[in-house]
Amino acid sequence: MTTMVDVAKLANVSNATVSRVFSNPDAVSKDTKEKVLKAAEELNYELNVLARNLRRMKTEVIMVILPDISNSFFSKIVRGIESVAMKNNYKVLLGDTKNDLDLEKEYLKNLDQKYADGVISLTARIDAELIKEISDKFNMVLACEYIDEESIPTVSINNVEGAYKATEHLINLGHEKIVHISGPEDVILSQDRIKGYKNALNEYNLSVDADLIIEGDFSYKSGYNIMSKLIKFNKTPTAVFADSDQMAIGAIKAIKEHGLKVPEDIAVVGFDNIEIASIYEPSLTTISQPMYKIGVKAMQLLLDLMGNKKIENNKIQLESKLIIRDSCGYKSR
Amino acid sequence: MTTMVDVAKLANVSNATVSRVFSNPDAVSKDTKEKVLKAAEELNYELNVLARNLRRMKTEVIMVILPDISNSFFSKIVRGIESVAMKNNYKVLLGDTKNDLDLEKEYLKNLDQKYADGVISLTARIDAELIKEISDKFNMVLACEYIDEESIPTVSINNVEGAYKATEHLINLGHEKIVHISGPEDVILSQDRIKGYKNALNEYNLSVDADLIIEGDFSYKSGYNIMSKLIKFNKTPTAVFADSDQMAIGAIKAIKEHGLKVPEDIAVVGFDNIEIASIYEPSLTTISQPMYKIGVKAMQLLLDLMGNKKIENNKIQLESKLIIRDSCGYKSR
DNA sequence: CTGTTAGCGCATTCAG
DNA sequence: CTGAATGCGCTAACAG
């Protein structure tokens, strides 16, 4: 293995100079720089990141913790994160929790070992205390999911508003019995969406029926199961608002299997606008989240945090949008 | 920051002993171990991975290079990799090339900097020379995609066989004019599948028409475009075999838009068996690849490689399977 | 602009 | 089983 010392010898300069050429080239004269670069080239020298990391006490690595990398909602966000990270010379370490709270905790706790300079978590289901504690001593930003804590930088959409828009859309289409298949209740985002759903009903003078709010887990399967049960027990609504496109599609599948039609018999709205939403048939009316942009913003926030920049606004809310497709039908005039 | 020295002082032992407690605990007596652990606990000591890495000249990190993390085919593989990596105390660094060859090259070349102990590449589109060169001096395994090179450990399915099965299925259903929407030609896997496709036709005494083999890029959109053109120019086949589920679904979308039906007018077979294949309507007949398992095997191979174990078989082929669903119809009897 | 020097925190010889 | 000593390869004062 060739080191800086070797290069320094060959180039007839000190190792400090070689170091400068690679970490602060502007501080070296053009001539010496060339000399050094030539020597490095000749020796096939490559900077040893390990040594640099120890010396600088940083890794140029950030970690992303998420519930499931094979879920396209999250992987799209990761893409946004990665693209910004790369431009800023950061590498991205993956922490897939497989929806396991213990794993989530483990990933977060191990951060002390300094294998990453910062973390972006797309899940925040372990106790808020612990999350707060970690964010106090470590550069951390939350994205998508969040907790009720002033101090932690967070990127998300306004979920109350998003759910409001979805519900309102169904109301405007003439629906009064609207089932809301929600996300897990221990996630604040689900609570916010329930709020938005209720707000819309209230606004339009429709009664809120607690039985119509049913807890799912975002998965295709839970949407399917919940809808199947509703139909089986003769509680078929005229409309469904699901907290994820996957649950919405699961619900549609169940509806179809029972010989009913979407949107003619039951209208369905999803959430997220993942790729399949536009491809599925019927194409899915949904609330779109700017996944890629969430990733980008989260990484930028983390970059600021790690650079000790002042963060003027640590709660970034991005726009969600109602995307109207075929799964709800259209207003008759 | 508390270091080993601090712990050593508090525990009244040498720092070497503290080090042993964390890296080779069996070499320390039970009593001292307890003493050290207690002191560490008291000081909230956390091992500094940076320093360990430099000293050991390894990172306990592996890198995964892939064309697109938001493509569920790849992210499923990553999940397999990650789960094995984690069990073995390796962390996973992500290298998303965005299908950009320059990025692929850059990721691969930078590996010299020692920020990872090994690499699994799910893409191998840059020149084979360079890949070979890198694999010579670095622990590397290829998965899914591969190159024609004896020495590089590779995990994949038998693509010739997979394509054969898909084509044979269509032939058995009575089709004679079968379009093959292939992957990019510079990828060996595409060439292998073309081989399989041709083999099947030959086997059943059907003529091979080069015009029926059309190059796509695995994307939904390319399937859509290719199929649209075929129909528009009156070259509508009775069956399509696409090299990815995404292209298959794109093709189906195009078929439907032209007022034709799947499978009644045109039968379609995909490849991969990604999640949407079973959810889409019509559900997709396809060749399934064991994505998760590919990841697992690839990581195990890399582990062997990094541990300098002898690798008896460096070309692992996993089983692909024909999954029959609705997109081809069923044999009439 | 360049060189000298010190040491980041740990793992590993080698003695004992 | 434990301790003393060394240095991994690099960066960052500091001085010139």
Side-chain angles (χ1 to χ4, degrees), chain A residues 185-200:
Chain A
E185 273 180 27
D186 56 340
V187 172
I188 293 199
L189 146 188
S190 303
Q191 296 167 22
D192 280 351
R193 292 190 193 162
I194 289 176
K195 226 177 273 173
Y197 164 79
K198 288 183 178 171
N199 286 355

Side-chain angles (χ1 to χ4, degrees), chain A residues 278-281 283, chain B residues 220 224 248-258 280:
Chain A
S278 65
I279 300 175
Y280 197 68
E281 302 205 350
S283 60
Chain B
Y220 166 76
Y224 178 88
I249 287 171
I252 293 178
K253 195 96 175 177
I255 293 169
K256 285 184 182 171
E257 282 186 14
H258 284 268
Y280 196 69

Side-chain angles (χ1 to χ4, degrees), chain B residues 37-322:
Chain B
L37 254 16
K38 194 165 145 262
E41 172 87 48
E42 200 173 320
L43 294 174
N44 249 316
Y45 169 75
E46 289 285 343
L47 181 69
N48 186 321
V49 176
L50 260 34
R52 163 181 282 188
N53 286 349
L54 174 59
R55 189 52 236 249
R56 300 224 255 220
M57 230 22 127
K58 44 182 289 199
T59 60
E60 306 205 299
V61 165
I62 67 113
M63 175 151 215
V64 177
I65 296 175
L66 39 56
D68 181 2
I69 185 63
S70 67
N71 180 325
S72 87
F73 176 73
F74 295 113
S75 52
K76 278 265 195 298
I77 295 173
V78 171
R79 251 204 156 187
I81 294 173
E82 217 248 355
S83 68
V84 177
M86 203 194 176
K87 272 186 209 133
N88 292 274
N89 270 311
Y90 276 89
K91 292 181 279 299
V92 175
L93 216 48
L94 213 60
D96 190 327
T97 70
K98 307 171 204 318
N99 280 305
D100 177 338
L101 294 200
D102 291 335
L103 266 184
E104 181 178 334
K105 203 180 291 189
E106 197 180 325
Y107 276 123
L108 249 20
K109 284 196 152 178
N110 287 343
L111 252 22
D112 288 338
Q113 299 178 354
K114 309 219 175 308
Y115 58 72
D117 298 340
V119 62
I120 297 175
S121 185
L122 310 185
T123 166
R125 304 189 189 171
I126 59 172
D127 43 321
E129 279 295 316
L130 186 54
I131 293 179
K132 168 86 171 88
E133 198 176 297
I134 288 163
S135 85
D136 278 345
K137 57 179 175 181
F138 204 79
N139 297 312
M140 168 162 173
V141 352
L142 255 28
C144 303
E145 282 191 16
Y146 40 91
I147 63 172
D148 191 10
E149 167 57 52
E150 191 48 51
S151 65
I152 306 179
T154 302
V155 181
S156 68
I157 58 163
N158 184 328
N159 284 290
V160 180
E161 194 182 294
Y164 184 95
K165 284 190 274 197
T167 312
E168 182 181 40
H169 180 65
L170 289 170
I171 295 172
N172 283 337
L173 254 22
H175 295 282
E176 303 193 337
K177 186 176 178 185
I178 302 171
V179 159
H180 176 39
I181 304 181
S182 82
E185 272 180 29
D186 55 341
V187 173
I188 294 197
L189 145 187
S190 303
Q191 296 166 22
D192 280 350
R193 293 192 192 159
I194 288 175
K195 226 177 273 173
Y197 163 80
K198 288 183 179 171
N199 287 354
L201 292 177
N202 287 331
E203 192 74 32
Y204 286 86
N205 293 312
L206 294 173
S207 63
V208 171
D209 180 350
D211 286 353
L212 297 187
I213 302 176
I214 306 168
E215 183 178 355
D217 65 4
F218 293 128
S219 76
Y220 166 76
K221 198 163 182 180
S222 81
Y224 178 88
N225 290 340
I226 289 168
M227 197 64 218
S228 297
K229 254 185 222 154
L230 283 173
I231 297 176
K232 209 172 297 168
F233 296 145
N234 277 318
K235 300 196 167 179
T236 314
T238 69
V240 174
F241 159 42
D243 259 3
S244 73
D245 289 342
Q246 291 169 322
M247 291 198 293
I249 287 171
I252 293 178
K253 195 96 175 177
I255 293 169
K256 285 184 182 171
E257 282 186 14
H258 284 268
L260 298 172
K261 282 185 177 168
V262 177
E264 290 83 352
D265 298 311
I266 305 180
V268 178
V269 181
F271 211 107
D272 292 346
N273 195 29
I274 59 177
E275 197 166 32
I276 192 175
S278 64
I279 300 175
Y280 196 69
E281 304 209 347
S283 60
L284 205 60
T285 292
T286 190
I287 301 294
S288 84
Q289 296 204 53
M291 277 93 85
Y292 187 84
K293 198 167 173 190
I294 290 176
V296 167
K297 286 283 177 195
M299 186 63 210
Q300 287 171 344
L301 219 47
L302 185 59
L303 243 23
D304 289 349
L305 215 56
M306 295 188 302
N308 295 317
K309 275 193 203 160
K310 238 178 251 157
I311 292 174
E312 64 301 335
N313 176 13
N314 79 344
K315 303 282 178 201
I316 297 183
Q317 285 208 338
L318 300 175
E319 278 298 304
S320 66
K321 219 163 63 189
L322 173 69

Side-chain angles (χ1 to χ4, degrees), chain A residues 61-63 90 108 111 116-121 134-142 152-153 301-309 311:
Chain A
V61 165
I62 66 113
M63 175 151 216
Y90 276 90
L108 248 21
L111 251 22
D117 298 339
V119 63
I120 297 175
S121 185
I134 288 164
S135 85
D136 278 344
K137 59 179 175 182
F138 204 80
N139 297 314
M140 168 161 171
V141 352
L142 256 28
I152 306 179
L301 218 47
L302 185 59
L303 244 21
D304 288 349
L305 214 57
M306 294 188 303
N308 296 317
K309 276 194 203 160
I311 292 174

